[in-house]
Amino acid sequence: MARLFFALQPDARGRQAIACSLPDDLAAARPLPESNLHVTLVFLGELDGDQETAVRAVADEIAASPFALCFSELAYWPRSRARVLVPEEVPPAAQALRAELARRLREAQLPFDARIWHPHLTVARRARRGGGELRAPITIAFNDFVLMRSRTEPAGAVYEPVGRWSLPGSSGVGGVG
Ligand code: ATP
Ligand code: MG
């Protein structure tokens, strides 16, 4: 069994943009390690090997376009005691990717959290209310999505990409005439 979710993972440039824009005082006892930064696309949960194989087949079928998210707000979510980057709007291509994954997972009768998607990027846990504001909005381009495995270690959750699928049109070759 593995605890799995689909996610968007900022690349090195995106991670640097985040690091440069976060305030010094995050009011956080535990900032997230850079490699854990992600936007959950679809949370799947504990899957067995057959289900994971089926989930990978679903991802193979996805035909969605790349997009960028512009994070303009550093919010505090009291229920999770997290500080999160929230995009100022969800572009249609991002919504379409989430919708296509959900539709195909449903068709394949695979379990996932089907509640409304609120894209966000957690930058700190065990935070207090307060702390500084973003220095500047952060725009991050996403040209692929990943299947992440989540493990709980003594120091906290660790996420590891175990699959990656590019979004068509992001290769820089070909293109639409
Ligand atoms: P922990 O649960 O150990 O405190 P975590 O919440 O970071 O750590 P996971 O529970 O494995 O780790 O979650 C992985 C990702 O999926 C996180 O971004 C989390 O917010 C998100 N997530 C977890 N459960 C759900 C859910 N039921 N619906 C949507 N997203 C979820
Ligand atoms: Mg959790």
Side-chain angles (χ1 to χ4, degrees), residues 3 5 38 40 43 113 115 120 125 150 152 157 159:
R3 185 175 177 87
F5 60 102
H38 70 278
T40 300
F43 183 77
D113 191 310
R115 289 175 297 178
H120 63 277
R125 295 194 188 284
S150 168
T152 306
Y159 313 127

Side-chain angles (χ1 to χ4, degrees), residues 61-67 93-94 96-98 100 143 145 166-170:
E61 294 300 313
I62 299 295
S65 304
F67 53 84
L97 172 58
R98 154 76 194 195
E100 193 183 349
N143 298 315
F145 65 97
S166 65
L167 296 168
S170 61

Side-chain angles (χ1 to χ4, degrees), residues 19-94:
C20 291
S21 302
L22 289 179
D24 292 331
D25 176 15
L26 261 177
R30 187 181 282 180
L32 248 69
E34 275 206 341
S35 56
N36 268 12
L37 296 175
H38 70 278
V39 178
T40 300
L41 266 173
V42 180
F43 183 77
L44 298 157
E46 298 283 340
L47 300 189
D48 65 27
D50 287 347
Q51 288 173 315
E52 180 175 340
T53 300
V55 159
R56 288 173 183 275
V58 161
D60 288 341
E61 294 300 313
I62 299 295
S65 304
F67 53 84
L69 295 178
C70 177
F71 297 94
S72 53
E73 189 197 353
L74 178 57
Y76 174 70
W77 285 2
R79 257 203 305 169
S80 48
R81 289 171 62 210
R83 295 216 76 190
V84 296
L85 295 173
V86 182
E88 63 188 5
E89 60 177 15
V90 184

